[in-house]
Amino acid sequence: MTDNAFEGARLFGLPHSYYTVIARSYLRMNQFGVSEVSSRHPDFAEKIYPQIKRGIIPVLELPDGTVIQDSLDIIEAGEALSPQFLALPEDAAMKSLAYLFFLYGSQALLKAAMHYRWTFYPDQKEFLDHAFGLDRDDPSSAKVMDKMRSYLPILGVTEQSIPHIEASFVELLKKLDAHFSVYPFILGNAPTLADYGMLGPLFAHLGRDPVPEAIMKREAPNVYRWTERMNAGAYDVPDYIQEAPDVSSQNIPETLHALIEFIGRDYSDEVSDRFDFIRQWLLENNPDDGEPVSAKPSQRAIGVTEVRYGDGQVQVAVQPYMLYIQRRLQASVNDASDESKSLVTDMLNQHSLGILLDPQLPCTVGRKHNIEIWEKV
């Protein structure tokens, strides 16, 4: 693609969409000249859906008709177009950490995002009904929202897990707030994939829906300001009088170490249990190389399993898509210099996240024609 290949493209999505926010922020930040279109626009049903075969957003439609579905795919396509701010840092260690934060934000924070949206639906009904384009006087609207709320248990949101979800959310806010008091972005002075992955939940749900937004403003004003910065469509850092120190493999601040320690404590058991389920599923089903992950494009999960979370266990639907991100983290470390590889490996092992560098699975996940497929390792 040429450097202006995104000029005049259309991003189909919604303002409150977890994954639309990721792609939208990247495209805005780099001023690619992309217009934003609601996925409720007739063109989505008439032109986009027949190509991707499922009602999923975001989708970027290029001027030549090519469509790119998936936030990560959109960002990776943009990286080839000489963006103003590289999502993937040139520093090998920072690139690996960018993938770590993207994985955590785009996958692990789903429980908090969905809990605060749907458990508190009665407290923010007007806002959410408006976001979903529902008519308050239409009886069928209640059925739509009840269906959305019914998914909570399969996402790991239960009466037993909610206290940990809420405590974990506040702890994350506090650690991010301390970091953003010095640094405008997660990996220093420029936005990266780390920021985009974390922004999905922390803005679309947790920094926009009234109940969690109030918590964020009260507990972590620097985080709320970061959500504004990430949506500004420009380099919006006037509140930092002095430029923050560089963040690199030679200079990883304590606030960043604290965030990685938190991710390990919050996510390592769960991600290990998810890998165990996928491993067993692959042994039992032995999919062919290139075979779609699921029988239907609309079906993204391959089953349900119990995972460790907090002091207990929850049932969750397992989506192999997580491997699509994990493989990039693993490859970035494998391709790094010995010094950077040792730094990242030691850091992840220290926080029980070493399994992300080798989940010991016979397959990983790729994508072909905007659909997830199994790929033999």
Side-chain angles (χ1 to χ4, degrees):
M1 290 190 291
T2 61
D3 285 356
N4 63 350
F6 280 6
E7 186 74 33
R10 298 193 296 174
L11 179 70
F12 287 86
L14 290 168
H16 61 279
S17 160
Y18 195 122
Y19 297 103
T20 297
V21 161
I22 294 172
R24 184 179 65 196
S25 176
Y26 174 77
L27 296 170
R28 283 182 176 181
M29 188 71 71
N30 288 290
Q31 300 179 357
F32 278 119
V34 173
S35 61
E36 299 172 24
V37 183
S38 171
S39 54
R40 300 180 187 127
H41 191 286
D43 281 357
F44 187 85
E46 295 170 8
K47 298 178 63 177
I48 305 301
Y49 185 85
Q51 296 188 66
I52 63 174
K53 299 180 176 61
R54 53 183 174 176
I56 189 171
I57 51 178
V59 179
L60 185 68
E61 180 194 39
L62 303 185
D64 66 1
T66 301
V67 298
I68 306 173
Q69 189 284 306
D70 185 70
S71 295
L72 186 54
D73 284 3
I74 291 169
I75 291 173
E76 289 184 340
E79 289 295 272
L81 306 180
S82 303
Q84 183 178 356
F85 300 104
L86 287 171
L88 296 172
E90 294 179 347
D91 183 300
M94 294 301 101
K95 181 178 180 180
S96 299
L97 294 184
Y99 280 124
L100 173 66
F101 278 93
F102 190 88
L103 176 66
Y104 181 76
S106 67
Q107 304 298 305
L109 286 179
L110 190 62
K111 285 189 288 295
M114 293 302 181
H115 161 58
Y116 278 104
R117 173 161 289 177
W118 297 114
T119 304
F120 293 97
Y121 172 67
D123 301 301
Q124 45 197 10
K125 181 180 185 301
E126 295 295 326
F127 181 84
L128 291 175
D129 286 357
H130 175 269
F132 280 80
L134 300 179
D135 183 348
R136 72 178 73 180
D137 298 322
D138 184 351
S140 65
S141 294
K143 294 180 180 179
V144 172
M145 300 312 244
D146 286 344
K147 182 178 180 180
M148 299 297 291
R149 297 171 74 186
S150 72
Y151 294 135
L152 286 178
I154 210 69
L155 295 171
V157 181
T158 66
E159 185 177 344
Q160 291 71 34
S161 67
I162 283 174
H164 182 74
I165 291 172
E166 294 184 350
S168 178
F169 173 51
V170 172
E171 183 179 359
L172 173 62
L173 287 180
K174 293 290 189 182
K175 292 185 183 303
L176 283 170
D177 198 66
H179 184 71
F180 290 139
S181 70
V182 179
Y183 301 92
F185 303 100
I186 292 175
L187 297 182
N189 287 301
T192 67
L193 195 67
D195 297 280
Y196 300 122
M198 296 292 283
L199 186 70
L202 288 172
F203 174 67
H205 288 236
L206 301 168
R208 191 173 180 275
D209 293 357
V211 171
E213 180 200 42
I215 296 172
M216 182 182 291
K217 285 182 172 179
R218 182 180 69 244
E219 301 288 342
N222 288 308
V223 181
Y224 187 79
R225 176 68 185 104
W226 166 80
T227 68
E228 293 180 327
R229 187 176 307 122
M230 291 297 296
N231 281 290
Y235 192 66
D236 179 24
V237 294
D239 28 351
Y240 293 86
I241 306 303
Q242 293 184 328
E243 185 174 338
D246 286 335
V247 176
S248 67
S249 54
Q250 284 74 43
N251 182 34
I252 300 178
E254 284 304 313
T255 52
L256 188 56
H257 275 294
L259 283 165
I260 297 167
E261 184 274 333
F262 170 82
I263 290 174
R265 187 159 35 86
D266 191 59
Y267 191 45
S268 60
D269 286 342
E270 177 182 345
V271 77
S272 179
D273 292 343
R274 287 177 180 268
F275 284 153
D276 286 346
F277 177 84
I278 294 173
R279 186 179 302 110
Q280 186 61 36
W281 189 96
L282 289 170
L283 288 173
E284 294 174 0
N285 292 272
N286 191 28
D288 293 332
D289 192 41
E291 182 179 326
V293 162
S294 57
K296 300 177 181 179
S298 59
Q299 179 185 337
R300 306 195 76 187
I302 57 173
V304 176
T305 191
E306 281 197 342
V307 298
R308 289 166 289 170
Y309 182 67
D311 294 328
Q313 291 186 320
V314 293
Q315 280 203 329
V316 295
V318 178
Q319 296 187 8
Y321 176 83
M322 62 185 292
L323 299 179
Y324 192 62
I325 307 169
Q326 175 275 326
R327 68 183 294 182
R328 285 158 168 74
L329 169 56
Q330 183 175 351
S332 70
V333 175
N334 289 342
D335 293 342
S337 67
D338 289 344
E339 182 180 0
S340 292
K341 183 183 299 183
S342 177
L343 174 68
V344 176
T345 300
D346 290 348
M347 189 182 306
L348 295 184
N349 284 334
Q350 179 183 353
H351 300 303
S352 303
L353 291 166
I355 194 170
L356 293 174
L357 301 181
D358 185 11
Q360 298 184 353
L361 299 172
C363 293
T364 186
V365 169
R367 281 169 59 83
K368 185 177 182 180
H369 304 311
N370 295 303
I371 297 293
E372 290 79 36
I373 60 171
W374 293 113
E375 291 184 353
K376 298 288 187 182
V377 175

